Amino acid sequence: MFNNWLRNNKVAAWILTVIRIYVGYEWLTAGWGKLSSGGFDAGGFIQGAIANSTGNHPAVQGWWAAFLEHAALPGIKFFNVLVPLGETLVGLGLILGTFTTFAALMAIVMNTAFLFSGTVSTNAQMLILEVFILVAAANAGRIGLDRWVMPYVRSLLHKKNNKPTTFTKPHTKVNTKATV
């Protein structure tokens, strides 16, 4: 019942728009701050998360620390670009209501990564709001550019999927007589 209301109700669409813009603003300002500073480096954050994976009460799980140590830290240049760019694009997508469901999904991925790394801050709150946006699906972007973008994308995909393949022969007769 609640899910149906969240996905179809006009009042829910307006509430989701407010939530979407708030969450998008938080992502956009975080990403833009990193992009405009010119020197974002996630290395210290990752090393801190790895350090927090030991001791009596580790804040970071060992499997996540292993991922950070063996994948993220060696690929730090990639993550130094990916994190601020991802935050900025997610923020823009949510504020404008463009590819809203995908933007919310990527926000959930980033918030989860930050939570796994031991940073609570506003990540848990943002994660809950992003889940509402994701569950609401198209209704979350109804009051936004998705209203026009998604039907256009669907029409492009529909045209692509309805093209005949080069292997079909449109005027070939099929033998319907049964052979014994």
Side-chain angles (χ1 to χ4, degrees):
M1 186 169 143
F2 178 71
N3 193 27
N4 186 42
W5 180 82
L6 197 60
R7 288 176 167 243
N8 298 310
N9 190 284
K10 290 181 183 180
V11 173
W14 282 101
I15 293 169
L16 289 162
T17 300
V18 171
I19 292 170
R20 193 189 77 222
I21 291 171
Y22 164 72
V23 172
Y25 176 79
E26 293 295 318
W27 279 113
L28 181 64
T29 55
W32 186 252
K34 291 174 180 80
L35 284 174
S36 62
S37 70
F40 173 71
D41 184 14
F45 175 79
I46 293 173
Q47 289 172 346
I50 294 167
N52 287 332
S53 67
T54 59
N56 291 335
H57 303 287
V60 178
Q61 296 291 313
W63 65 271
W64 185 254
F67 163 75
L68 292 175
E69 186 175 0
H70 300 292
L73 207 51
I76 194 67
K77 289 182 181 180
F78 174 70
F79 282 95
N80 286 343
V81 173
L82 184 68
V83 170
L85 189 61
E87 290 177 347
T88 303
L89 290 174
V90 162
L92 284 173
L94 290 173
I95 289 171
L96 298 174
T98 309
F99 301 110
T100 305
T101 306
F102 182 71
L105 179 62
M106 292 300 101
I108 288 170
V109 168
M110 286 190 289
N111 277 129
T112 303
F114 298 149
L115 285 167
F116 281 163
S117 299
T119 303
V120 176
S121 183
T122 61
N123 290 308
Q125 166 196 321
M126 299 281 281
L127 187 68
I128 291 168
L129 295 174
E130 292 154 2
V131 166
F132 279 114
I133 294 168
L134 184 67
V135 169
N139 205 28
R142 182 167 289 151
I143 303 169
L145 294 179
D146 274 350
R147 182 180 198 132
W148 298 280
V149 171
M150 294 314 290
Y152 177 72
V153 170
R154 280 189 208 102
S155 72
L156 289 177
L157 293 174
H158 183 68
K159 286 178 188 176
K160 179 183 173 190
N161 290 335
N162 285 335
K163 287 186 179 179
T165 61
T166 56
F167 300 106
T168 61
K169 295 182 183 178
H171 299 293
T172 304
K173 290 185 179 181
V174 177
N175 186 3
T176 57
K177 294 182 180 180
T179 56
V180 181

